[in-house]
Amino acid sequence: MKLLSIESSCDETAAAVVEDGRKIISSVVSSQVEEHKKYGGVVPEIASRRHCENINGVVEKALADANLSLNELDGIAVTHAPGLIGALLVGVNFAKGLSFATGLPLIPVHHLRSHIAANYLAHEKLKPPFLCLVVSGGHSHIVEVIDYTTLRIVGKTRDDAAGEAFDKAARTMGMPYPGGIHLDKKAENGNPLSFKLPHPHVDGSPYDFSFSGLKTAVINLIHNAEQKGEILSVEDLSASFRKAVTDCLIENFIKAATDLGYNKLVMAGGVSANSLLRRRLQEECEKRSWEYYYPPLNLCGDNGAMVGAQGYYEFLAGHTAGMELNARATMSIDY
Ligand code: KG4
Ligand code: ZN
């Protein structure tokens, strides 16, 4: 079964053709990052307009690269939630138009579910059940993936997402948007023990996260140093911050897996590109002889192929939509 899949939830306009949820036939990602960089973050209005301009070309290229025409496809999968509403609406309406014109089934896909599904493209043998750490710019969840379309949230952030915390800390250190990747690179040359940063826990909820206090601690450190005319090492501060975020994520994730009896762990979302997080999870799982999976770097961030992967399993579960399909800015992963 070949699906055309479309993603426009944030600042990437993306489309792909994916076969049976596992094989990428083509994948095209058009990033707007250079434009949003000027403003230090995504400007929703600009994102919507760029999606509008780019979507036709991106979809046409995905089809051309796959050497397929619309009548050779079996369905159209599209990210419909959660995300920036104006951005999502572009992809949703484009997919609805294609579905209406071709009669192909329309398959709505949850953005975070598709991040998890990026792993199905990279790891042929990976099947639920497993426990997943979903860490992106907007969300930080520990999720039980019971089967492909039955998920249960075990823990989540009470305030900032991990990616958001990385981006804000990086911005305060003068790095360009999105700062997570730059902070990660600086951290590779720093001493993670240079600065003592808080490792916040949520009382009574051992699997939940809280990153806003940690973010504020770094921002205060920088501002205090500036006032005193001191120069802090960006490498050391990045390494200390990255260690603190990683410690919190890994500690809760391993605890949840132990308590719930999972020995197969998966990571997903943009922050799963973080080099320390990848190494640490690997070490922790190897220590316990657990299976562990994370996406290759090119599938960590937003892309269309992951939408086609999850879309396949949503289709098999009968989750299709009609012309009433709308986009939603918020939607829980366990609907
Ligand atoms: O999943 P994603 O592409 O978009 C959302 O669905 O939000 O995640 C983007 C986030 C950004 O906050 C970005 O800074 C972060 O992922 N990110 C990283 C790294 N690469 C991307 N954070 C830490 N280390 C990285 N190497
Ligand atoms: Zn994403």
Side-chain angles (χ1 to χ4, degrees):
M1 180 177 197
K2 293 189 188 78
L3 296 183
L4 170 69
S5 46
I6 296 171
E7 153 65 34
S8 70
S9 67
C10 191
D11 58 348
E12 254 87 39
T13 319
V17 178
V18 174
E19 188 166 6
D20 295 337
R22 296 279 173 167
K23 187 174 168 218
I24 302 173
I25 300 180
S26 68
S27 179
V28 179
V29 180
S30 164
S31 176
Q32 308 171 1
V33 114
E34 286 308 316
E35 187 160 7
H36 296 291
K37 229 178 219 174
K38 289 183 251 170
Y39 308 97
V42 177
V43 182
E45 188 74 16
I46 293 176
S48 310
R49 286 163 193 260
R50 293 298 164 264
H51 286 311
C52 234
E53 289 162 9
N54 294 338
I55 194 155
N56 193 52
V58 166
V59 168
E60 277 187 344
K61 182 159 175 23
L63 290 172
D65 288 356
N67 204 14
L68 290 167
S69 53
L70 282 169
N71 58 15
E72 292 170 286
L73 298 171
D74 302 293
I76 296 162
V78 63
T79 311
H80 73 120
L84 301 172
I85 193 67
L88 286 164
L89 280 167
V90 176
V92 166
N93 273 313
F94 198 86
K96 280 167 74 168
L98 284 179
S99 169
F100 184 76
T102 57
L104 289 170
L106 179 64
I107 309 160
V109 175
H110 188 284
H111 182 61
L112 295 182
R113 288 189 179 197
S114 70
H115 269 301
I116 298 173
N119 285 283
Y120 305 142
L121 297 165
H123 310 295
E124 206 185 321
K125 295 204 182 98
L126 176 64
K127 289 191 173 86
F130 55 78
L131 195 68
C132 189
L133 178 68
V134 190
V135 272
S136 71
H139 299 84
S140 300
H141 283 4
I142 297 174
V143 182
E144 269 187 282
V145 182
I146 296 159
D147 70 39
Y148 292 103
T149 57
T150 312
L151 294 88
R152 188 181 82 84
I153 298 174
V154 173
K156 60 180 174 181
T157 184
R158 294 295 183 96
D159 39 58
D160 291 356
E164 201 178 344
F166 268 116
D167 292 345
K168 285 186 184 156
R171 186 175 170 172
T172 318
M173 289 185 230
M175 297 173 205
Y177 171 84
I181 187 166
H182 303 287
L183 191 151
D184 190 17
K185 282 188 185 143
K186 290 280 178 202
E188 289 292 294
N189 298 315
N191 175 2
L193 304 174
S194 311
F195 294 93
K196 271 214 160 60
L197 294 172
H199 284 54
H201 289 98
V202 181
D203 280 347
S205 302
Y207 313 131
D208 283 352
F209 305 107
S210 168
F211 293 114
S212 81
L214 178 56
K215 174 196 71 187
T216 310
V218 169
I219 294 173
N220 288 344
L221 249 168
I222 296 169
H223 288 164
N224 287 341
E226 272 169 8
Q227 276 165 7
K228 289 187 209 151
E230 289 171 10
I231 296 173
L232 301 179
S233 154
V234 169
E235 285 79 8
D236 287 347
L237 194 51
S238 295
S240 304
F241 181 80
R242 185 179 70 164
K243 180 183 180 315
V245 173
T246 305
D247 284 347
C248 294
L249 291 171
I250 297 271
E251 188 186 316
N252 292 12
F253 191 31
I254 295 291
K255 180 167 173 45
T258 308
D259 293 351
L260 298 170
Y262 280 92
N263 56 11
K264 198 195 288 184
L265 268 56
V266 175
M267 192 159 63
V271 181
S272 66
N274 187 268
S275 35
L276 181 66
L277 196 52
R278 290 161 90 90
R279 290 198 294 269
R280 284 282 313 280
L281 181 64
Q282 181 158 347
E283 282 162 19
E284 295 297 332
C285 289
E286 273 172 6
K287 241 192 271 175
R288 296 167 174 82
S289 301
W290 288 354
E291 284 179 64
Y292 61 92
Y293 300 89
Y294 44 70
L297 289 176
N298 66 327
L299 292 176
C300 287
D302 294 344
N303 62 85
M306 67 188 194
V307 181
Q310 183 61 25
Y312 173 71
Y313 293 103
E314 298 292 349
F315 180 81
L316 293 186
H319 299 163
T320 54
M323 286 300 119
E324 75 290 347
L325 180 66
N326 204 345
R328 288 174 62 177
T330 57
M331 184 175 179
S332 184
I333 194 171
D334 58 353
Y335 59 93

